[in-house]
Amino acid sequence: MKGLALALLLAAACTSPNDDVSDCSEDRCEAAQSRDDLLDQVSGFGDPISAFLRDAVQEDGTLAGNYEQVLEGVGTQIGCERNTEKSFVVLSNQAFHAKTIFNRCADSPIDASEFFLLLPTLNEDLDVETSLIHMTAWDQDAQRYRRYATFPGDDGTMHINVEPSFCLGCHAGPRQLGTWQPLMNEMTNPWTQWNAAPGFVSHEFDDYLAEATQGGANYAEVSAEGLLDSASNFEPIIRAGIDRVTGARVQKRHDPADIDEALQLLQPLFCDEMVNYVSEIHGSGEIRSSALIDDSFRELLSAIGEGSELGFLSETTMQIAPQQDSESNLTLVAVRGESALRAELSLVTRQALSPLQALQVRSLDWTHPVASDFRCELFDAGAARIRAGVLDGEVSALGADATNLELLPLLLSEVMSLELDGEPLSLQPEGSVYLLDDADLAPASAMAWKELELSPAQLATRLQSAIDDASRDQLQRARDVRACQVAALLPTAPLIPDLRCE
Amino acid sequence: MHPHRYPLSNRRARLGLGGVALWLLASTTLACGSTEPDSSNECTDLFKCDVPTQPDQELCVARRSDAFNQNQVAFQPDFLRWSCADVNGVTNSDRGQEYCEYFAMVQLPANSEAEPAPEVAILGRNLGEDYSYGTTEEKLEISYEQLVALEQDEAAVVGQCIFSSWNSDIPGPIAACAGDGANCPSVLGVPVDDNIYRMKFYVNSAEAAQLLVQDCSVLPPGGDLENAKDPLNDDFYRACMLNGEINQTSYRKSDTTVCAASARMTECGCTAVDPDLNVGEYISPWDRMGFPLGTWSSPSALPAGCRFIDDGAGSQTLVSCDLSAADVIMGAFDLKGLCMQKYADNIVVHVPLPPAEALRCDPQASQSPYASSCSATPWVLEDHY
């Protein structure tokens, strides 16, 4: 029920203004009322959008023109000319309405990730609305993305919102991280609901793009030949953006010890902060192995040096039997979000956590790489105990100069513990993991937990077997279960036409 | 082309004299992925270390799936193509099997202001004619001070993934480095030369490609014509199994694709209009550095973040792709693997084919029972399943 209520709240936050009758939808009542008001709101901001706005904002706090003027203005700020601009189109979960994203300097994903501009809605003719903009740009000094939104005024100008809170409904994830992060539901081939051309065949995009949109003058403009690009080239831009956010996040390990900050660093190991989706490539039977095995198993086992002779450690895809006529294409299988994966691996590669410590978490309820209540409730329960003071003595003993880096193993140890029959049980066996297939099978005694203990080498072998034995039916069932769980959790969950949730 | 069955030459066995000597040495004292014999290593087969070992029947199904993937169809009217990415099961020092080798180059910052920056690290570059020579160090060691420096700007480009289709038997220097070398390109300050940037494996050579075409220009064993479900009735599968028989490389996208086009041309009675035209040498000429690299949307474009290294002749055989500080930190234990995961799927080897008018196909003159289904361009295999 809590999850449903939260989902409803977030769904409202991500709702298109076309569906909302409130004058204050999408923070419109917070729009800048004057030039001075806007300048005050962006005071101290170091991102290129704020620099553009300082130059371009009119006395009444509005902008003239539409998205093209914004692209040109911000493009000038970041030194990226119009001929470096690309557009990318995705079908949203709002009745498959097309959303268009623009980047400049698109031939360099790292540079392109500095600035994103989105046209998120369609007008009453189902053509692209060009004056309602969501945009974000990286503030290098603040080490975060700054976000902005515009909406059309009655006089043809665009009103401006600075750091509107509604954006976080989608971009801060179900755990409400408090910061905007890039979001691309499908980050791997075949990018089912994205335009994948040129170079790739679009999967469901062509099937569901509205005819009215295809025929619209604005859509023709944003998808012009030479401008419209493939999701395959948007994916690395998003990855670069995620790396920016992740890098800033894990830098906080050097901050003075703070319980809440340190718990935030550990959270992505346990709870979904974002979800991604993978699909079978056009009936071939090839699908990302993350549909079955969390991607980080590969990285963590490789870091330990175990299982190098096993295939899945060097392969990001797996092969199931190709689709037969009577079978559905396996699309949109929910997997753990890339941002959480990168955050976890960032902590390991920076030696804030060991690969084994991360493996010990991944091994719990491992057949549910996403939407694991077991892992997330383990975290929340541990966090509650910690905030209630269970580790106050140990934290004090670290000294006044302690940093979050020193807090991490202490907090992780507390989170990774269960109380069974009044006795504490650590879920971090020395040199090994407890491989719990499913939360429903969680043992009730410490003795039974011991029977789940595996070395990393044994773990690698078990996971390889799981991949070798995987079937289409198995993954299809998992797809449906996860899709329903995630749909209740995330306002950004994609529309899956053949999905029925109880 | 003269169809004949099971020629003696094959892309696997042609190692040259030095290679033969090496093979003899390897078969008795082989180490997998090292330059010294390693008795503790279980890999004892020169050609089977770190490569897929499934039966040809399974591998050919997988390769067929790759070749006819809607997103990445291998057979085009003007060229054949496949990605640089090694197939699942090709690992460690065997990586680089598709006429495309790759490695990483990284410029780490200095450990302190008082010290100079270290030399550019070259990671995972193949060192010899086959996997047994190993590679340069694959793992990048980053000190704490260097990590702190890298974290100051994780979006900064500090390394490059290098993809090369410069054939291992085509000598340097590249055109841009000839003469006084004033225009010789470099990557992170490392000049382009054949020692570092040219492919090393014998199997990635002009000669090997020519031999592959020659070897596969035969009539492959057919299937049961009465049984529509016999996989040998499929053009690609039939040729793939032939390649498996001749070269034991049915795991490779490159060999199976080239073999399929060659065998199909033979089945369809295709010969060169000009009797002096050697199709194998046309496809893999001695006067070209190697097969051009491109991407799926265009043979002359590259994925975002990548660029051609200008060799002065427009060969498109050398590509460099950006590695950020974040990439280097996250992938330090195997940046070669990161290069493959990040870029190799979309860096595409293109094999230009003779123009259609240079070939004359006469299916009626062919002895193949599959000649009746020949199209006007039989090297563009069609997916009948």
mmCIF file with all atom_site columns, all heavy atoms in Angstrom, chain B residues 269-281:
data_model
loop_
_atom_site.group_PDB
_atom_site.id
_atom_site.type_symbol
_atom_site.label_atom_id
_atom_site.label_alt_id
_atom_site.label_comp_id
_atom_site.label_asym_id
_atom_site.label_entity_id
_atom_site.label_seq_id
_atom_site.pdbx_PDB_ins_code
_atom_site.Cartn_x
_atom_site.Cartn_y
_atom_site.Cartn_z
_atom_site.occupancy
_atom_site.B_iso_or_equiv
_atom_site.pdbx_formal_charge
_atom_site.auth_seq_id
_atom_site.auth_comp_id
_atom_site.auth_asym_id
_atom_site.auth_atom_id
_atom_site.pdbx_PDB_model_num
ATOM 1  N N   . GLY B 1 269 ? 27.759 -20.859 -59.716 1.00 0.00 ? 269 GLY B N   1
ATOM 2  C CA  . GLY B 1 269 ? 28.537 -20.827 -60.943 1.00 0.00 ? 269 GLY B CA  1
ATOM 3  C C   . GLY B 1 269 ? 29.099 -19.459 -61.270 1.00 0.00 ? 269 GLY B C   1
ATOM 4  O O   . GLY B 1 269 ? 29.168 -19.065 -62.435 1.00 0.00 ? 269 GLY B O   1
ATOM 5  N N   . CYS B 1 270 ? 29.509 -18.731 -60.254 1.00 0.00 ? 270 CYS B N   1
ATOM 6  C CA  . CYS B 1 270 ? 30.031 -17.376 -60.482 1.00 0.00 ? 270 CYS B CA  1
ATOM 7  C C   . CYS B 1 270 ? 31.523 -17.424 -60.775 1.00 0.00 ? 270 CYS B C   1
ATOM 8  O O   . CYS B 1 270 ? 32.280 -18.056 -60.042 1.00 0.00 ? 270 CYS B O   1
ATOM 9  C CB  . CYS B 1 270 ? 29.790 -16.498 -59.261 1.00 0.00 ? 270 CYS B CB  1
ATOM 10 S SG  . CYS B 1 270 ? 28.044 -16.256 -58.873 1.00 0.00 ? 270 CYS B SG  1
ATOM 11 N N   . THR B 1 271 ? 31.903 -16.747 -61.829 1.00 0.00 ? 271 THR B N   1
ATOM 12 C CA  . THR B 1 271 ? 33.320 -16.597 -62.157 1.00 0.00 ? 271 THR B CA  1
ATOM 13 C C   . THR B 1 271 ? 33.577 -15.143 -62.504 1.00 0.00 ? 271 THR B C   1
ATOM 14 O O   . THR B 1 271 ? 32.648 -14.396 -62.844 1.00 0.00 ? 271 THR B O   1
ATOM 15 C CB  . THR B 1 271 ? 33.720 -17.475 -63.347 1.00 0.00 ? 271 THR B CB  1
ATOM 16 O OG1 . THR B 1 271 ? 32.848 -17.169 -64.442 1.00 0.00 ? 271 THR B OG1 1
ATOM 17 C CG2 . THR B 1 271 ? 33.612 -18.951 -63.014 1.00 0.00 ? 271 THR B CG2 1
ATOM 18 N N   . ALA B 1 272 ? 34.824 -14.773 -62.476 1.00 0.00 ? 272 ALA B N   1
ATOM 19 C CA  . ALA B 1 272 ? 35.185 -13.397 -62.825 1.00 0.00 ? 272 ALA B CA  1
ATOM 20 C C   . ALA B 1 272 ? 35.094 -13.212 -64.329 1.00 0.00 ? 272 ALA B C   1
ATOM 21 O O   . ALA B 1 272 ? 35.518 -14.078 -65.098 1.00 0.00 ? 272 ALA B O   1
ATOM 22 C CB  . ALA B 1 272 ? 36.592 -13.080 -62.342 1.00 0.00 ? 272 ALA B CB  1
ATOM 23 N N   . VAL B 1 273 ? 34.533 -12.087 -64.721 1.00 0.00 ? 273 VAL B N   1
ATOM 24 C CA  . VAL B 1 273 ? 34.463 -11.783 -66.151 1.00 0.00 ? 273 VAL B CA  1
ATOM 25 C C   . VAL B 1 273 ? 35.880 -11.700 -66.724 1.00 0.00 ? 273 VAL B C   1
ATOM 26 O O   . VAL B 1 273 ? 36.172 -12.219 -67.787 1.00 0.00 ? 273 VAL B O   1
ATOM 27 C CB  . VAL B 1 273 ? 33.688 -10.464 -66.389 1.00 0.00 ? 273 VAL B CB  1
ATOM 28 C CG1 . VAL B 1 273 ? 33.787 -10.031 -67.830 1.00 0.00 ? 273 VAL B CG1 1
ATOM 29 C CG2 . VAL B 1 273 ? 32.239 -10.621 -65.955 1.00 0.00 ? 273 VAL B CG2 1
ATOM 30 N N   . ASP B 1 274 ? 36.720 -11.019 -65.996 1.00 0.00 ? 274 ASP B N   1
ATOM 31 C CA  . ASP B 1 274 ? 38.136 -10.934 -66.366 1.00 0.00 ? 274 ASP B CA  1
ATOM 32 C C   . ASP B 1 274 ? 38.833 -12.169 -65.796 1.00 0.00 ? 274 ASP B C   1
ATOM 33 O O   . ASP B 1 274 ? 38.930 -12.319 -64.576 1.00 0.00 ? 274 ASP B O   1
ATOM 34 C CB  . ASP B 1 274 ? 38.741 -9.653  -65.784 1.00 0.00 ? 274 ASP B CB  1
ATOM 35 C CG  . ASP B 1 274 ? 40.223 -9.512  -66.070 1.00 0.00 ? 274 ASP B CG  1
ATOM 36 O OD1 . ASP B 1 274 ? 40.818 -10.440 -66.656 1.00 0.00 ? 274 ASP B OD1 1
ATOM 37 O OD2 . ASP B 1 274 ? 40.797 -8.478  -65.687 1.00 0.00 ? 274 ASP B OD2 1
ATOM 38 N N   . PRO B 1 275 ? 39.324 -13.045 -66.634 1.00 0.00 ? 275 PRO B N   1
ATOM 39 C CA  . PRO B 1 275 ? 39.944 -14.269 -66.111 1.00 0.00 ? 275 PRO B CA  1
ATOM 40 C C   . PRO B 1 275 ? 41.137 -14.007 -65.211 1.00 0.00 ? 275 PRO B C   1
ATOM 41 O O   . PRO B 1 275 ? 41.540 -14.883 -64.441 1.00 0.00 ? 275 PRO B O   1
ATOM 42 C CB  . PRO B 1 275 ? 40.341 -15.041 -67.367 1.00 0.00 ? 275 PRO B CB  1
ATOM 43 C CG  . PRO B 1 275 ? 40.352 -14.041 -68.459 1.00 0.00 ? 275 PRO B CG  1
ATOM 44 C CD  . PRO B 1 275 ? 39.390 -12.972 -68.094 1.00 0.00 ? 275 PRO B CD  1
ATOM 45 N N   . ASP B 1 276 ? 41.712 -12.815 -65.315 1.00 0.00 ? 276 ASP B N   1
ATOM 46 C CA  . ASP B 1 276 ? 42.872 -12.497 -64.475 1.00 0.00 ? 276 ASP B CA  1
ATOM 47 C C   . ASP B 1 276 ? 42.452 -11.993 -63.082 1.00 0.00 ? 276 ASP B C   1
ATOM 48 O O   . ASP B 1 276 ? 43.310 -11.776 -62.236 1.00 0.00 ? 276 ASP B O   1
ATOM 49 C CB  . ASP B 1 276 ? 43.734 -11.419 -65.147 1.00 0.00 ? 276 ASP B CB  1
ATOM 50 C CG  . ASP B 1 276 ? 44.416 -11.969 -66.409 1.00 0.00 ? 276 ASP B CG  1
ATOM 51 O OD1 . ASP B 1 276 ? 44.674 -13.189 -66.447 1.00 0.00 ? 276 ASP B OD1 1
ATOM 52 O OD2 . ASP B 1 276 ? 44.677 -11.171 -67.325 1.00 0.00 ? 276 ASP B OD2 1
ATOM 53 N N   . LEU B 1 277 ? 41.155 -11.781 -62.896 1.00 0.00 ? 277 LEU B N   1
ATOM 54 C CA  . LEU B 1 277 ? 40.704 -11.286 -61.594 1.00 0.00 ? 277 LEU B CA  1
ATOM 55 C C   . LEU B 1 277 ? 40.684 -12.433 -60.594 1.00 0.00 ? 277 LEU B C   1
ATOM 56 O O   . LEU B 1 277 ? 39.943 -13.400 -60.751 1.00 0.00 ? 277 LEU B O   1
ATOM 57 C CB  . LEU B 1 277 ? 39.315 -10.657 -61.713 1.00 0.00 ? 277 LEU B CB  1
ATOM 58 C CG  . LEU B 1 277 ? 38.667 -10.215 -60.385 1.00 0.00 ? 277 LEU B CG  1
ATOM 59 C CD1 . LEU B 1 277 ? 39.458 -9.087  -59.748 1.00 0.00 ? 277 LEU B CD1 1
ATOM 60 C CD2 . LEU B 1 277 ? 37.220 -9.789  -60.600 1.00 0.00 ? 277 LEU B CD2 1
ATOM 61 N N   . ASN B 1 278 ? 41.491 -12.310 -59.559 1.00 0.00 ? 278 ASN B N   1
ATOM 62 C CA  . ASN B 1 278 ? 41.499 -13.270 -58.453 1.00 0.00 ? 278 ASN B CA  1
ATOM 63 C C   . ASN B 1 278 ? 40.598 -12.698 -57.363 1.00 0.00 ? 278 ASN B C   1
ATOM 64 O O   . ASN B 1 278 ? 40.922 -11.675 -56.760 1.00 0.00 ? 278 ASN B O   1
ATOM 65 C CB  . ASN B 1 278 ? 42.932 -13.450 -57.951 1.00 0.00 ? 278 ASN B CB  1
ATOM 66 C CG  . ASN B 1 278 ? 43.021 -14.421 -56.786 1.00 0.00 ? 278 ASN B CG  1
ATOM 67 O OD1 . ASN B 1 278 ? 42.262 -14.333 -55.813 1.00 0.00 ? 278 ASN B OD1 1
ATOM 68 N ND2 . ASN B 1 278 ? 43.950 -15.362 -56.874 1.00 0.00 ? 278 ASN B ND2 1
ATOM 69 N N   . VAL B 1 279 ? 39.462 -13.336 -57.149 1.00 0.00 ? 279 VAL B N   1
ATOM 70 C CA  . VAL B 1 279 ? 38.484 -12.768 -56.211 1.00 0.00 ? 279 VAL B CA  1
ATOM 71 C C   . VAL B 1 279 ? 39.070 -12.651 -54.803 1.00 0.00 ? 279 VAL B C   1
ATOM 72 O O   . VAL B 1 279 ? 38.835 -11.672 -54.104 1.00 0.00 ? 279 VAL B O   1
ATOM 73 C CB  . VAL B 1 279 ? 37.196 -13.606 -56.197 1.00 0.00 ? 279 VAL B CB  1
ATOM 74 C CG1 . VAL B 1 279 ? 36.209 -13.072 -55.141 1.00 0.00 ? 279 VAL B CG1 1
ATOM 75 C CG2 . VAL B 1 279 ? 36.528 -13.569 -57.572 1.00 0.00 ? 279 VAL B CG2 1
ATOM 76 N N   . GLY B 1 280 ? 39.836 -13.637 -54.410 1.00 0.00 ? 280 GLY B N   1
ATOM 77 C CA  . GLY B 1 280 ? 40.436 -13.585 -53.079 1.00 0.00 ? 280 GLY B CA  1
ATOM 78 C C   . GLY B 1 280 ? 41.345 -12.378 -52.937 1.00 0.00 ? 280 GLY B C   1
ATOM 79 O O   . GLY B 1 280 ? 41.317 -11.671 -51.925 1.00 0.00 ? 280 GLY B O   1
ATOM 80 N N   . GLU B 1 281 ? 42.135 -12.105 -53.964 1.00 0.00 ? 281 GLU B N   1
ATOM 81 C CA  . GLU B 1 281 ? 43.035 -10.958 -53.906 1.00 0.00 ? 281 GLU B CA  1
ATOM 82 C C   . GLU B 1 281 ? 42.278 -9.655  -54.111 1.00 0.00 ? 281 GLU B C   1
ATOM 83 O O   . GLU B 1 281 ? 42.734 -8.606  -53.659 1.00 0.00 ? 281 GLU B O   1
ATOM 84 C CB  . GLU B 1 281 ? 44.158 -11.097 -54.938 1.00 0.00 ? 281 GLU B CB  1
ATOM 85 C CG  . GLU B 1 281 ? 45.162 -12.184 -54.564 1.00 0.00 ? 281 GLU B CG  1
ATOM 86 C CD  . GLU B 1 281 ? 46.403 -12.163 -55.443 1.00 0.00 ? 281 GLU B CD  1
ATOM 87 O OE1 . GLU B 1 281 ? 46.618 -11.177 -56.173 1.00 0.00 ? 281 GLU B OE1 1
ATOM 88 O OE2 . GLU B 1 281 ? 47.159 -13.145 -55.392 1.00 0.00 ? 281 GLU B OE2 1
#
